[in-house]
Amino acid sequence: MSPFARRLPILDWGRSYSRATLGADLMAALIVTIMLVPQSLAYALLAGLPPEAGIYASILPIILYALFGSSRVLAVGPVAVVSLMTAAAVGQVAEAGTAGYAAAALTLALLSGLMLFAMGMLKLGFLANFLSHPVIAGFITAAGVLIAAGQVRHILGVSGSGDTLPEILHALWLHAGETNPVTLAIGAGATAFLFWVRKGMKPALLALGTPTRVADILTKAGPVFAVAATTALVWGLGLADRGVKVVGEVPQGLPPFTVPDLSPSLVSVLLIPAALISIIGFVESVSVAQTLASRRRQRIDPDQELLGLGAANIGASFTGGLPVTGGFARSVVNADAGAETPAAGAFTAVGLALAALALTPLLYFLPQATLAATIIVAVLSLVDLKILRHTWAYSRRDFAAVAATILVTLALGVETGVSVGVALSILLHLLNTAKPHVAEVGLVPGTEHFRNIHRHRVETCPTLLTLRIDESLYFANARFLEGMILDRISGDPQLTDVVLMCSAVNSIDYSALETLEELQRELQARGIRLHLSEVKGPVMDRLQTTDFLQHLTGKVFKSQYDAFVALTGARAKPSERPVQS
């Protein structure tokens, strides 16, 4: 593949596009479009924006991702967690419903897009690996609980606010007496129906003899049925006059051309929230894309995903949208509906554009309680409390990180929660590498294998100490290694040689090099030689640019067995069976 085609994946899959692929993509686009109309409206309201912003954010961004993205089935648009983060960030600089609020959302989308695109050009997709899955799962779980709790006020038909769970619950308690019975009936009914659609509608249709394909389409269209039924109910019975809050007038037409506000004061406030949205959005998107790609034995390019998501967010900022990313639910639906290429996303954008042109007048009497029900049912699928049980059983350190992320997000809000999550991910990495596993090893009799003396019956020599280092050496763990070695050799007068087995050492930074030099001087002062074995080529190349090897009191051995033979004079007989570690 040429570098140009790599930057524009459409040049790759577009060459083999066929009539059969077109049919599959069109069917998937139809199903996803039906799903996205109510979902886009709901997520725009969740972000504190007019409902049409959700549709606008699902048109040009999808097309741009189809041009630049590497996933064949990822569906880009507003998602629950990013919409919540948008509301939290923009709410700091403007009041919801004002022109300044909408302009700030555009600026947030542009900043996020520029950051993602720049990261893609710099090939920084690997940075997503620094966010541990347990911490991200904890954050998304907490965000799902926050989103669902925040929508309860629309189900009840009461006023309320709050960015944290205590604030939300306190507001609901204060206004519970203002509950509108009609709104509650609509909201609770829509919620129950949508839960039934997810679990029971398809089996019920199949039991009635409905073809599987038709049952799938009708199940995916469940939210549309809820929207249509409740809208007709409110219109037909005049329930808006009885206090049922409706969406109201939704502008009819294609997305407008908009210009983000780039005033320095606004940009400086939104810079950090944009970075956090970029990180969380990218991690969520690439996780979904990798999962779906693996099902089809395909691959995605994280760096290209950064470019695709960056272009999508930039497009959203100039077409009246809000920050977007790849959504789990819509992407799974897109894949299950048979999408073969990103062209399905482009066809979805066309469908949404037609909806914006022709269907928006029909949404005037759509109850906000129905959209709240759509959000609640969608986000509760993100809540994964099993992660607490799993991490408790596997690693107390991971459990503490997950629990802390959940509690901080619920108690202090989304931005603080994601910041803590990022910090905890980095801290976990440092904790896991700052005290590397170092095993004292000996020779397995009859073989050339070396294993931990505390786990296997091995041969050792009283004058030789062999330590296998199971981690790369860098500034955070070098001193730990030095202290551990000095503690081990103290009080052992028979030792004459120490061998560091470096088979698992992928790199040695300058701080670690200085520590090794200091260790060598300490050992030399005690009459002990320092040797290395099984040093990897890239590590050896780096060491040869220094004078460390010239000052080394011992030798560098190609294998640990060579070192054992040379330093002890012993030679083991080969074994007929390999030894399992």
Side-chain angles (χ1 to χ4, degrees):
M1 186 187 300
S2 68
F4 191 65
R6 190 177 294 111
R7 291 299 188 189
L8 281 173
I10 188 175
L11 299 178
D12 176 37
W13 57 262
R15 285 197 297 267
S16 58
Y17 205 75
S18 64
R19 181 176 296 180
T21 304
L22 172 64
D25 285 345
L26 284 173
M27 178 56 69
L30 174 63
I31 295 174
V32 175
T33 300
I34 292 172
M35 172 188 178
L36 281 188
V37 171
Q39 195 178 79
S40 297
L41 298 173
Y43 290 153
L45 293 176
L46 175 60
L49 294 165
E52 65 270 15
I55 296 180
Y56 296 162
S58 301
I59 298 178
L60 182 60
I62 294 179
I63 295 174
L64 289 173
Y65 179 82
L67 293 175
F68 291 97
S70 65
S71 172
R72 297 292 182 99
V73 295
L74 190 71
V76 172
V79 300
V81 174
V82 171
S83 295
L84 178 65
M85 295 177 70
T86 298
V90 178
Q92 298 177 5
V93 297
E95 184 178 350
T98 64
Y101 190 96
L106 298 177
T107 303
L108 192 63
L110 178 61
L111 292 175
S112 178
L114 292 174
M115 289 178 184
L116 289 166
F117 203 86
M119 290 171 66
M121 294 300 294
L122 296 174
K123 299 184 180 300
L124 299 180
F126 69 91
L127 291 178
N129 299 330
F130 284 92
L131 292 177
S132 70
H133 172 72
V135 167
I136 292 300
F139 168 74
I140 292 178
T141 292
V145 172
L146 274 181
I147 293 169
Q151 295 304 302
V152 171
R153 62 190 175 95
H154 296 299
I155 300 292
L156 300 177
V158 301
S159 57
S161 60
D163 297 324
T164 67
L165 188 60
E167 292 173 353
I168 293 172
L169 294 179
H170 180 66
L172 290 175
W173 175 262
L174 291 179
H175 297 282
E178 304 169 9
T179 299
N180 185 308
V182 180
T183 300
L184 177 59
I186 293 173
T191 303
F193 172 75
L194 290 174
F195 272 119
W196 176 78
V197 165
R198 288 206 163 203
K199 300 293 184 181
M201 185 173 184
K202 184 176 179 179
L205 291 173
L206 293 176
L208 294 173
T210 307
T212 302
R213 187 68 169 173
V214 176
D216 282 334
I217 295 175
L218 292 176
T219 300
K220 300 298 189 299
V224 177
F225 297 146
V227 167
T230 55
T231 301
L233 187 67
V234 171
W235 171 74
L237 299 180
L239 298 182
D241 297 330
R242 298 178 60 181
V244 176
K245 295 182 180 179
V246 297
V247 169
E249 184 177 357
V250 178
Q252 188 174 5
L254 294 174
F257 176 75
T258 52
V259 180
D261 183 357
L262 296 179
S263 59
S265 58
L266 179 62
V267 170
S268 62
V269 173
L270 295 180
L271 208 55
I272 292 179
L276 296 177
I277 287 175
S278 300
I279 293 171
I280 294 299
F282 173 61
V283 170
E284 179 178 353
S285 180
V286 80
S287 299
V288 175
Q290 286 176 337
T291 300
L292 296 178
S294 64
R295 292 182 185 177
R296 300 185 172 200
R297 297 186 179 181
Q298 297 171 349
R299 292 181 60 82
I300 67 162
D301 181 351
D303 295 322
Q304 194 63 36
E305 287 299 290
L306 284 168
L307 295 177
L309 293 174
N313 277 278
I314 293 172
S317 70
F318 288 103
T319 53
L322 64 151
V324 298
T325 191
F328 177 77
R330 71 186 66 181
S331 297
V332 171
V333 169
N334 194 38
D336 290 346
E340 294 289 341
T341 71
F347 296 143
T348 300
V350 173
L352 290 171
L354 294 176
L357 284 170
L359 300 181
T360 51
L362 303 178
L363 300 174
Y364 184 93
F365 289 102
L366 172 59
Q368 291 188 11
T370 301
L371 293 180
T374 302
I375 294 174
I376 290 173
V377 174
V379 300
L380 286 183
S381 65
L382 302 175
V383 177
D384 180 20
L385 296 178
K386 295 191 299 294
I387 192 69
L388 291 170
R389 185 176 74 251
H390 293 163
T391 52
W392 175 264
Y394 186 75
S395 168
R396 296 293 194 272
R397 182 178 291 174
D398 282 334
F399 170 81
V402 172
T405 302
I406 292 176
L407 292 175
V408 170
T409 303
L410 293 176
L412 301 180
V414 173
E415 286 193 8
T416 304
V418 70
S419 300
V420 169
V422 171
L424 286 174
S425 294
I426 296 173
L427 180 61
L428 281 176
H429 171 72
L430 293 176
L431 289 175
N432 289 333
T433 59
K435 293 184 177 181
H437 180 260
V438 179
E440 184 174 343
V441 298
L443 178 66
V444 178
T447 74
E448 295 184 6
H449 298 284
F450 286 79
R451 294 292 184 265
N452 193 320
I453 66 172
H454 300 296
R455 293 177 179 268
H456 301 269
R457 298 180 63 181
V458 296
E459 295 179 1
T460 60
C461 177
T463 62
L464 174 65
L465 171 65
T466 298
L467 299 174
R468 189 189 69 225
I469 307 169
D470 295 333
E471 184 65 64
S472 294
L473 298 178
Y474 71 117
F475 64 91
N477 62 21
R479 290 295 180 187
F480 168 80
L481 176 66
E482 180 188 22
M484 193 216 69
I485 294 174
L486 294 178
D487 288 342
R488 170 61 181 82
I489 67 173
S490 62
D492 194 346
Q494 298 184 76
L495 280 179
T496 59
D497 296 276
V498 171
V499 181
L500 300 183
M501 187 176 173
C502 301
S503 54
V505 177
N506 294 318
S507 65
I508 298 176
D509 74 358
Y510 191 77
S511 296
L513 176 65
E514 288 186 325
T515 300
L516 288 177
E517 291 174 341
E518 179 63 28
L519 174 63
Q520 178 171 253
R521 286 191 288 269
E522 288 280 348
L523 294 177
Q524 187 176 13
R526 304 184 189 200
I528 300 174
R529 293 178 298 177
L530 177 65
H531 310 268
L532 304 178
S533 73
E534 302 188 11
V535 181
K536 293 185 175 180
V539 178
M540 180 60 74
D541 292 341
R542 186 64 61 86
L543 291 178
Q544 287 174 341
T545 64
T546 72
D547 58 0
F548 172 72
L549 297 178
Q550 284 75 27
H551 297 158
L552 189 65
T553 54
K555 296 180 180 180
V556 179
F557 296 94
K558 287 186 177 180
S559 72
Q560 180 55 37
Y561 183 72
D562 291 343
F564 187 82
V565 170
L567 298 176
T568 66
R571 182 176 293 273
K573 295 180 181 180
S575 173
E576 294 181 359
R577 293 183 302 172
V579 177
Q580 300 296 322
S581 60

